[in-house]
């Protein structure tokens, strides 16, 4: 599903080339893998040492974002490293309100819904568009990554809510979110749902989908019906798949946005 939209007002002149990839089936595949890897990786690190998990999460995010922001255009390794770091850190951020502050999964999910909505509102009021094709200025790039982090935290909390508080289990949650993510995809393909709405709806839902699958594979059989493969193994396998797909993107450059996509939004 592609995301494009004509902004409500003329956008500022582009200072950068597009800093995000084209939205293709490959984009969604890597996105789901990063969500699963982030969920399993954060849980695995936390089981080893909370201090280690915190250090890796924060340091990884800072280093990956610094690397990404220093690029003048989309570079597959930089972009997906940043997404992977956000996936790990976003899991920790989402778990914090429940485990540290004692908030219910429903309360933390609703809080992140408000946060994501606020990110979209401020971003749109500032830039006039939420299109992924418009990430061509530094300010828009900041809005984009803050929003991405918020969606990862929301998705993690939502997945925990359905699997644990609503007792659907990991497999049931994965099936639920697989069905839900098909809704904006079909609405965009068959009923002309506004592309930006379709994109961000699917983007939010990929997080609980990938995380639920990772939990189903890695967590013990009880109480939530996992297969018991272990979070460490799930992290390694999903990470290897991500590296392979990102390397393929870097070599073929088939995921690079075309100038016409960016020009259409900026015009």
């Amino acid at each position: 599903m592609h995301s494009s939209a004509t902004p409500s007002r003329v956008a500022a002149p582009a200072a950068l080339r597009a800093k995000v990839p084209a939205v293709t089936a490959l984009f969604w595949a890597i996105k789901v893998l990063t969500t699963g890897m982030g969920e399993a990786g954060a849980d695995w690190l936390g089981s080893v040492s909370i201090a280690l998990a915190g250090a890796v999460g924060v340091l990884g995010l800072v280093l990956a974002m610094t690397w990404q922001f220093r690029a003048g255009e989309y570079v597959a390794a930089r972009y997906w490293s940043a997404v992977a770091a956000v996936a790990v850190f976003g899991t920790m951020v989402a778990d914090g309100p429940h485990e540290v502050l004692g908030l219910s999964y429903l309360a933390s999910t609703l809080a992140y819904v408000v946060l994501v909505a606020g990110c979209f509102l401020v971003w749109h009021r500032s830039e006039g568009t939420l299109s992924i094709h418009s990430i061509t200025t530094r300010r828009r790039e900041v809005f984009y990554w803050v929003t991405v982090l918020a969606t990862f935290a929301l998705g993690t909390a939502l997945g925990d809510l359905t699997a644990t508080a609503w007792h659907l289990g990991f497999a049931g949650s994965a099936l639920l979110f697989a069905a839900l993510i098909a809704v904006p995809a079909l609405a965009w393909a068959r009923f002309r749902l506004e592309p930006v709405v379709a994109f961000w709806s699917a983007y939010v839902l990929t997080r609980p989908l990938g995380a639920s699958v990772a939990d189903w594979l890695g967590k013990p059989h009880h109480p939530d019906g996992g297969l018991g493969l272990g979070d460490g193994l799930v992290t390694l396998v999903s990470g290897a798949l991500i590296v392979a797909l990102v390397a393929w993107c870097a070599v073929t450059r088939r995921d690079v946005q075309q100038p016409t996509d960016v020009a259409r939004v900026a015009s």
Side-chain angles (χ1 to χ4, degrees), residues 42-204:
D43 289 347
W44 176 69
L45 287 169
S47 69
V48 175
S49 167
I50 297 297
L52 174 64
V56 171
V58 174
L59 183 61
L61 183 69
V62 170
L63 292 177
M65 282 299 170
T66 300
W67 197 32
Q68 165 66 13
F69 273 89
R70 286 181 176 177
E73 61 184 354
Y74 166 70
V75 179
R78 294 187 184 218
Y79 175 84
W80 288 111
S81 292
V83 173
V86 168
V88 174
F89 185 77
T91 299
M92 297 175 181
V93 169
D95 290 341
H98 176 72
E99 297 181 0
V100 178
L101 301 178
L103 292 180
S104 68
Y105 286 124
L106 178 59
S108 60
T109 298
L110 292 176
Y112 285 122
V113 167
V114 173
L115 177 61
V116 170
C119 289
F120 284 139
L121 177 63
V122 174
W123 181 2
H124 192 272
R125 291 189 65 178
S126 173
E127 303 302 311
T129 178
L130 302 176
S131 172
I132 196 171
H133 300 308
S134 73
I135 314 302
T136 55
T137 69
R138 185 67 68 200
R139 185 167 61 183
R140 288 180 179 178
E141 190 177 12
V142 171
F143 279 126
Y144 174 78
W145 285 110
V146 170
T147 303
V148 165
L149 177 57
T151 64
F152 269 75
L154 168 60
T156 301
L158 182 58
D160 289 337
L161 174 67
T162 59
T164 303
W166 291 356
H167 308 292
L168 294 181
F170 300 128
S173 292
L175 291 174
L176 171 65
F177 292 117
L180 289 176
I181 203 171
V183 174
L186 291 174
W188 169 79
R190 301 296 296 273
F191 303 105
R192 298 184 180 180
L193 176 65
E194 210 283 327
V196 171
V197 175
F199 171 80
W200 283 112
S201 298
Y203 196 92
V204 169

